[in-house]
Amino acid sequence: RVSTEEQVQDGVSLEAQMDKLRQYAELYDIELIDIKSDAGLSAKTLSRPGLQTALDALDAGEADALLIYKLDRLTRSVADLGRLIETHFQKHQLLSVTDHIDTSTANGRLILNVLGSVSQWERETVVERTVTALRYLKDQRRVYGHVPLGYNAVDGSLTPDDEEQMVIAEIQDLRSKGHS
């Protein structure tokens, strides 16, 4: 899994991950049935076609284990990880190439839980930093995304557009009178 379309288009990350999976399988004499990928999809959800296909293969008895490149490629949510453990990885083995997770061992299960918490913390920290940075840019009236109605971007800052501000005022007046 890679998170962004940019990584899908320009990165080699998916190819590199697949190569590492093949090398790991060969090193440990694991029969690699198939490789599923979720290009451009975030780990903040388990509703990803590649992941669901892999989990379905486990449930159908077509595979004994799920081999992943890294735990944060699977999920960054402790709650989702708990659901996966309960629904799939008490019966089936989860292996992670870079995290050295093997849920058939007590150490592997410990590492799985610790790294699951670290992944969620990392995701939440990124969100906090992003929100703080965007709030700062907004407070400074600086451009941080698309230019909103009523403003123009001038030298990286937002400046009111008098004509559009009049339109906004009229919209607000009509709304206060019950119009949609």
Side-chain angles (χ1 to χ4, degrees), residues 36-85:
K36 301 294 181 191
S37 66
D38 286 312
L41 299 176
S42 171
K44 65 184 173 186
T45 178
L46 297 178
S47 297
R48 303 188 313 264
L51 174 60
Q52 292 306 312
T53 301
L55 295 174
D56 290 345
L58 282 175
D59 293 340
E62 299 166 9
D64 299 321
L66 179 65
L67 175 62
I68 59 175
Y69 173 71
K70 191 172 187 342
L71 185 60
D72 68 6
R73 305 290 86 199
L74 176 63
T75 184
R76 288 183 176 238
S77 164
V78 172
D80 285 347
L81 180 59
R83 279 189 285 282
L84 286 171
I85 291 168

Side-chain angles (χ1 to χ4, degrees), residues 26-143:
E26 186 177 330
L27 178 66
Y28 290 101
D29 198 28
I30 296 170
E31 180 186 356
L32 194 58
I33 296 170
D34 199 357
I35 296 178
K36 301 294 181 191
S37 66
D38 286 312
L41 299 176
S42 171
K44 65 184 173 186
T45 178
L46 297 178
S47 297
R48 303 188 313 264
L51 174 60
Q52 292 306 312
T53 301
L55 295 174
D56 290 345
L58 282 175
D59 293 340
E62 299 166 9
D64 299 321
L66 179 65
L67 175 62
I68 59 175
Y69 173 71
K70 191 172 187 342
L71 185 60
D72 68 6
R73 305 290 86 199
L74 176 63
T75 184
R76 288 183 176 238
S77 164
V78 172
D80 285 347
L81 180 59
R83 279 189 285 282
L84 286 171
I85 291 168
E86 191 161 309
T87 58
H88 300 285
F89 301 120
Q90 289 187 11
K91 298 176 267 181
H92 306 288
Q93 192 175 13
L94 175 66
L95 302 165
S96 173
V97 173
T98 59
D99 300 317
H100 307 290
I101 294 171
D102 177 349
T103 59
S104 69
T105 69
N107 284 345
R109 290 186 295 275
L110 172 67
I111 292 169
L112 173 69
N113 286 302
V114 169
L115 291 179
S117 293
V118 169
S119 290
Q120 180 169 323
W121 166 81
E122 185 178 49
R123 180 176 58 89
E124 290 173 356
T125 301
V126 167
V127 168
E128 286 175 359
R129 281 191 220 122
T130 302
V131 166
T132 300
L134 292 177
R135 187 178 307 122
Y136 174 79
L137 291 174
K138 183 178 179 182
D139 290 347
Q140 299 297 312
R141 297 181 80 106
R142 302 230 343 251
V143 177

